[in-house]
Structures are given as C-alpha cells and as structure tokens.
C-alpha cells in the first residue's frame, strides 16, 4: 500500500552474496531492486533489464530468484513505485518463467516433480559449481535438476502473494490489472481470488 511500509524493508537481511544467479553471487541484486524505486525512468528500466537477465535468464530461475519475489510484489503493491505494471510483468516472469497460457490448467505437483528430494544444500552446490564451471566434475550433484527446484521455489513464493494480485485486479491501469489476472490463473483459486475475478469481469464495458 502506498506509503505504509518500505517495500524494500529487510533487503539487507537476505544473504545475497552467498546466493547465486546466472552470473555468480547475487551481490548486485539489492542495487537492482533499489533501482526500481528510482525517480529516473531510464534507471528503472535498466534495473528491470538487469534483474531479468540475472534471476530470469532466458526463462531459467536460479537460487536467488525466489528471494526477489517478495520485494517485487511489495514494490508493485506500493503506488509510489514507478512503472508498476512493468514491475508486475517482471514478477510474473520470475514466478512463472516462460510458461505460456496454453499450459493452463497448471498442476505444480506434476510440473515440479523432479524437484522432490533435492535439498537446499544440494541446490546450493549445483549453483556454486555452475558458477565455477566445474559442475561435470562433481558426480554427487551433476545429475540433479536444480533448475526445476529453483523454478518450484519461485512459484511457491509467488503463491504467497495472491492477496496482492487480487487487489491489483481493481487497479485503474488495465495493463497492471491484466498482469494480476494472468498471475492468478496459475494458482489454486480461493474465495477472494474468485470474487475478485468475477468483480473484475463484471466491471468490464459491455460490447456494442
């Protein structure tokens, strides 16, 4: 909500330097998230591009990706944030990757089945060896599909913010509201989400 809390509160408590994105340690992510709060539009655009390239690289999520999700949701929820619809678009990319609407209805248990049994420590080892370029030399983790684990983590973290997606359905910006409706379609609907979607649809203008 506008002005109620700092959407980046707690940013410094995340151990970004020990988390990894596609290019290695995610120590640059806090600066990118802060860039989304800039009053300068080119700075915001550059921050979105950098985040997309690091925690959503060509659709792949990484160890740091799920930690970005709560901050993107909080930024989009704050009406003082610039380019909120674009922030929600980035949130959608991090939470869902490159999944298309023709994959709906979505069953996360089936989609993320390969993530079962991959521990936090194993996923971290995969990230570190990928960054070092020596994953193939470590048989104990080289065969693990950590990317599915990281995608599952991002998705389930995104599922914790459906109350915000419901609120965004009522936003006057149709692009932001559209992104919210698209996000909600991927999660098991609750009563609030269904009521919000019905209200959103009933408020649409009737075609001539």
């Amino acid at each position: 909500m506008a002005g109620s809390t700092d959407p980046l509160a707690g940013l410094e408590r995340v151990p970004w330097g020990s988390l990894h994105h596609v290019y290695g340690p995610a120590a640059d992510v806090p600066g990118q998230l802060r860039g989304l709060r800039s009053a300068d539009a080119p700075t915001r655009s550059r921050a979105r591009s950098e985040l997309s390239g690091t925690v959503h690289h060509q659709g792949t999520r990484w160890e740091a990706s799920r930690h970005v999700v709560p901050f993107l949701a909080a930024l989009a929820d704050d009406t003082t944030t610039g380019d909120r619809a674009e922030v929600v678009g980035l949130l959608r990319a991090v939470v869902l990757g490159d999944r298309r609407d023709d994959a709906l209805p979505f069953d996360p248990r089936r989609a993320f089945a390969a993530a079962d049994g991959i521990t936090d420590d194993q996923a971290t080892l995969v990230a570190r060896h990928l960054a070092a370029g020596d994953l193939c030399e470590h048989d104990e983790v080289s065969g693990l599909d950590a990317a599915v684990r990281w995608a599952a983590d991002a998705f389930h973290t995104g599922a914790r913010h459906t109350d915000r997606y419901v609120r965004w359905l009522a936003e006057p910006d149709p692009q932001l509201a559209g992104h919210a409706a698209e996000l909600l379609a991927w999660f098991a609907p609750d009563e609030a989400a269904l009521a919000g979607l019905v209200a959103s649809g009933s408020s649409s203008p009737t075609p001539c």
Side-chain angles (χ1 to χ4, degrees):
M1 298 300 184
S4 57
T5 59
D6 177 5
L8 297 181
L11 187 65
E12 71 285 350
R13 292 196 293 271
V14 179
W16 298 105
S18 61
L19 300 171
H20 286 74
H21 54 45
V22 65
Y23 298 118
D28 53 347
V29 167
Q32 294 163 358
L33 287 167
R34 291 187 184 99
L36 299 178
R37 292 285 282 173
S38 174
D40 179 61
T43 298
R44 295 195 301 272
S45 178
R46 183 169 58 253
R48 290 194 303 273
S49 178
E50 290 173 350
L51 275 170
S52 179
T54 55
V55 300
H56 170 251
H57 185 74
Q58 298 179 354
T60 299
R61 271 63 55 78
W62 294 78
E63 186 184 27
S65 300
R66 70 183 175 97
H67 297 276
V68 169
V69 170
F71 297 108
L72 291 178
L75 284 164
D77 209 33
D78 191 321
T79 57
T80 67
T81 298
D83 307 322
R84 291 173 66 215
E86 286 78 4
V87 173
V88 179
L90 178 57
L91 173 66
R92 184 233 184 266
V94 177
V95 169
L96 301 178
D98 288 344
R99 297 185 188 280
R100 295 162 52 95
D101 289 351
D102 56 12
L104 292 169
F106 182 63
D107 182 352
R109 287 173 297 182
R110 290 185 60 187
F112 302 132
D116 292 343
I118 300 178
T119 67
D120 289 346
D121 288 344
Q122 288 173 325
T124 296
L125 281 174
V126 171
R128 289 176 180 171
H129 291 312
L130 279 171
D134 62 357
L135 180 62
C136 293
E137 300 173 19
H138 296 269
D139 294 341
E140 72 276 14
V141 292
S142 62
L144 297 178
D145 194 350
V148 174
R149 166 62 193 274
W150 296 327
D153 288 344
F155 178 87
H156 292 306
T157 304
R160 298 170 192 158
H161 299 279
T162 53
D163 58 330
R164 284 173 162 161
Y165 311 157
V166 171
R167 286 202 299 271
W168 299 343
L169 293 171
E171 288 286 339
D173 181 344
Q175 185 180 15
L176 196 162
H179 284 322
E182 184 180 4
L183 271 167
L184 282 169
W186 292 87
F187 300 100
D190 56 21
E191 291 185 8
L194 290 172
L197 287 166
V198 169
S200 176
S202 65
S203 64
S204 300
T206 303
C208 297

